[in-house]
Amino acid sequence: MKTIKIITIILLIAIICSASFFGIYKKDEYRVSNIVQDYILGMEFTDSRIINLEVNKEENAEEKLTVENYKLIKSILKNRLKNLSVDQYRVVLDEATGNIQVRIPENKDTDTIIYYLLQSGTFELKDSQTEEVLMDTNTVKNTDVVYSQGEMETVIFLQISFNKESKQKLQEIINTYSETEETINEESESEEKKETKSLELYLNGELISEIKPEQSIMNDMLYIGIGSGRDNATLEQYRIVAEETATILNSGVLPITYTETDSVENSKITGQQIKIGMYVALGIVALMTIIFIIGLKTKGILATILQIGYIAVLLLTLRYTNVKITFEGIAGILLVSIINFVYMYKAFKNIDMNFIKDVTAKLALKLISVYVIAIILSFNKIANIYSLGMTLVWGLIVMYLYNLTLTQITIKTIKK
């Protein structure tokens, strides 16, 4: 029974390693496909879009072309990228010319990101006849996305709130531009109707719609209908548009106009570099194996098998938890693998001790600072830092679950 248990554990680890390192393939019509989910790779390992923004000197006044404005635009662009859920980007400013280069991952959303990235960020309420600007970006406090649930459908709105200084002006607009009903003078039997003025809403310099204050302004806030629907797919499309528009309006106004060109750049990681990385990984595993065998003798073989199994389980976990793999994430994988190596070495070295009380509990207390760092990093929206944080979080979770099951069963089996 002892031998059967050990062989069963080894076979289980072999199956896990096969799935993790090589995949599971099935025939799909005329081709064979891997049913194991692919990794989500960071910008270092995939194609990138290079966006070159050149100052349009013909459309910009000379006094606007200052280093302060250039730095402001760089800050606005970074803020927009962050709030548009671009978790990996690079923004480089040439302070001498004001030109900016932006690098973002190449995917199905890239063109949409570029479109919103270059919007002016302006808001204007105009008199449709005189084109007088009655409210502009300077009067806006914040923009949010809100929902109105009706009996038949849900409507998605942009909710624009205004600063305190503008509320009196907003009330004047309501009084001036609200529609008035027709009245009949009973003595002369003639109709009296006040001439109706109309408002137009401009976002990013483009006419969006005509505004009726009595329908769109409530509680000193302006509500702009983005779309309505009954099914989740339709609502999701309108939600994305509304949130992206709100992001642009909240990020600030670009004071300078740019001319944009872009190109796709292939990953700089070569096949030779990937091979070198694999050799390094194999070298680290080989070094761990040597240390296990020297320190643990024949038990070191089992410890090596279990260590490789842990790495395989962790890699599968990262695939199915959608953790983006970056250079920092790879460093996280290496770090938790070393921690697990120490954990496993102590467990096999002190095989006669209580596995939970004397090995696991003591190690867990020593790693408190690692838990705190991992959790803090995992809340960061920047992909490289998030990848490191989440790799540490999942690495530690998998480590305890894996060792409290397979490793503990193996040690108990050896002790019998």
Side-chain angles (χ1 to χ4, degrees):
M1 286 302 296
K2 182 176 178 179
T3 304
I4 292 173
K5 276 189 178 181
I6 297 297
I7 292 174
T8 302
I9 291 171
I10 293 173
L11 287 175
L12 176 61
I13 292 173
I15 293 170
I16 294 171
C17 290
S18 176
S20 181
F21 299 144
F22 306 107
I24 300 173
Y25 293 87
K26 71 170 185 176
K27 190 174 181 182
D28 186 9
E29 294 182 353
Y30 300 104
R31 62 190 180 90
V32 176
S33 60
N34 186 5
I35 63 173
V36 178
Q37 183 169 306
D38 290 334
Y39 294 108
I40 299 177
L41 298 177
M43 194 166 61
E44 307 93 322
F45 308 107
T46 59
D47 294 344
S48 303
R49 184 77 68 91
I50 308 299
I51 307 157
N52 293 301
L53 304 178
E54 185 176 349
V55 174
N56 190 330
K57 296 186 177 180
E58 295 181 358
E59 295 185 8
N60 295 287
E62 188 68 28
E63 59 269 19
K64 288 186 176 181
L65 306 181
T66 63
V67 175
E68 289 74 18
N69 274 343
Y70 298 153
K71 290 181 177 178
L72 173 62
I73 291 170
K74 179 183 178 181
S75 176
I76 291 173
L77 293 179
K78 290 176 72 174
N79 191 39
R80 288 184 180 183
L81 288 167
K82 180 180 178 181
N83 291 313
L84 287 168
S85 299
V86 181
D87 56 5
Q88 268 191 301
Y89 55 83
R90 187 182 177 205
V91 181
V92 179
L93 167 65
D94 183 345
E95 293 186 3
T97 62
N99 296 339
I100 297 176
Q101 186 181 85
V102 181
R103 179 192 294 268
I104 59 176
E106 175 65 21
N107 53 46
K108 61 181 179 61
D109 300 319
T110 303
D111 290 332
T112 302
I113 296 298
I114 295 174
Y115 169 79
Y116 282 108
L117 194 63
L118 299 178
Q119 295 300 302
S120 63
T122 57
F123 162 88
E124 291 177 319
L125 270 182
K126 292 183 179 181
D127 185 302
S128 60
Q129 294 178 338
T130 65
E131 296 191 353
E132 176 190 359
V133 178
L134 304 170
M135 305 280 278
D136 61 17
T137 312
N138 295 323
T139 65
V140 176
K141 180 182 179 182
N142 189 52
T143 305
D144 289 313
V145 178
V146 296
Y147 303 81
S148 176
Q149 181 68 55
E151 293 183 3
M152 300 296 294
E153 59 185 10
T154 300
V155 185
I156 297 178
F157 293 92
L158 275 182
Q159 175 187 272
I160 299 178
S161 56
F162 299 93
N163 53 40
K164 292 180 180 179
E165 295 77 12
S166 307
K167 289 185 178 179
Q168 183 177 350
K169 179 65 176 177
L170 188 64
Q171 189 58 50
E172 292 176 2
I173 290 173
I174 294 173
N175 295 336
T176 304
Y177 290 87
S178 293
E179 292 183 350
T180 57
E181 296 181 355
E182 295 180 355
T183 59
I184 299 177
N185 188 316
E186 294 181 357
E187 295 181 359
S188 60
E189 296 184 354
S190 61
E191 295 183 354
E192 294 179 1
K193 184 178 180 181
K194 184 179 178 180
E195 182 180 356
T196 301
K197 295 184 177 182
S198 58
L199 284 170
E200 290 180 337
L201 169 68
Y202 287 78
L203 296 180
N204 300 307
E206 296 182 3
L207 175 62
I208 301 300
S209 65
E210 186 176 290
I211 296 296
K212 296 181 179 180
E214 65 273 12
Q215 297 177 359
S216 303
I217 300 175
M218 291 177 285
N219 300 321
D220 295 327
M221 288 184 284
L222 175 65
Y223 292 84
I224 305 166
I226 299 299
S228 62
R230 301 180 183 181
D231 59 279
N232 291 333
T234 301
L235 289 173
E236 179 65 11
Q237 291 177 350
Y238 288 130
R239 182 195 64 80
I240 292 172
V241 172
E243 290 188 351
E244 289 173 341
T245 304
T247 291
I248 301 309
L249 293 178
N250 288 330
S251 65
V253 177
L254 296 180
I256 296 174
T257 304
Y258 282 86
T259 300
E260 181 266 334
T261 57
D262 60 79
S263 59
V264 177
E265 183 178 278
N266 296 328
S267 171
K268 293 182 179 180
I269 303 297
T270 64
Q272 183 64 27
Q273 290 172 322
I274 293 174
K275 285 183 180 179
I276 292 172
M278 292 177 64
Y279 292 147
V280 170
L282 291 173
I284 293 171
V285 172
L287 179 61
M288 289 180 178
T289 302
I290 292 169
I291 296 172
F292 273 142
I293 292 175
I294 291 174
L296 303 174
K297 304 300 187 276
T298 55
K299 295 193 296 288
I301 298 174
L302 276 177
T304 299
I305 294 171
L306 286 164
Q307 174 71 5
I308 294 171
Y310 165 75
I311 296 171
V313 173
L314 174 58
L315 294 178
L316 280 174
T317 302
L318 295 178
R319 287 174 186 256
Y320 285 95
T321 53
N322 297 322
V323 176
K324 183 171 284 188
I325 304 299
T326 66
F327 283 131
E328 290 79 4
I330 293 174
I333 294 171
L334 177 60
L335 178 58
V336 291
S337 297
I338 292 172
I339 294 173
N340 187 74
F341 168 80
V342 173
Y343 185 3
M344 207 165 283
Y345 187 90
K346 288 187 175 183
F348 278 90
K349 191 71 174 177
N350 304 291
I351 196 168
D352 294 324
M353 292 185 177
N354 186 290
F355 180 81
I356 295 177
K357 181 180 177 182
D358 297 323
V359 178
T360 304
K362 288 182 179 180
L363 180 68
L365 288 174
K366 292 179 181 179
L367 294 177
I368 289 175
S369 59
V370 178
Y371 309 148
V372 174
I373 292 171
I375 291 171
I376 291 173
L377 295 180
S378 65
F379 281 98
N380 196 295
K381 290 186 177 181
I382 299 175
N384 304 68
I385 299 175
Y386 175 82
S387 176
L388 174 57
M390 289 306 297
T391 300
L392 291 175
V393 168
W394 283 112
L396 292 167
I397 291 172
V398 170
M399 181 182 76
Y400 287 117
L401 293 176
Y402 182 85
N403 287 297
L404 288 171
T405 52
L406 289 182
T407 302
Q408 184 173 202
I409 292 170
T410 302
I411 289 174
K412 286 183 177 180
T413 304
I414 293 174
K415 288 170 65 175
K416 289 180 180 179

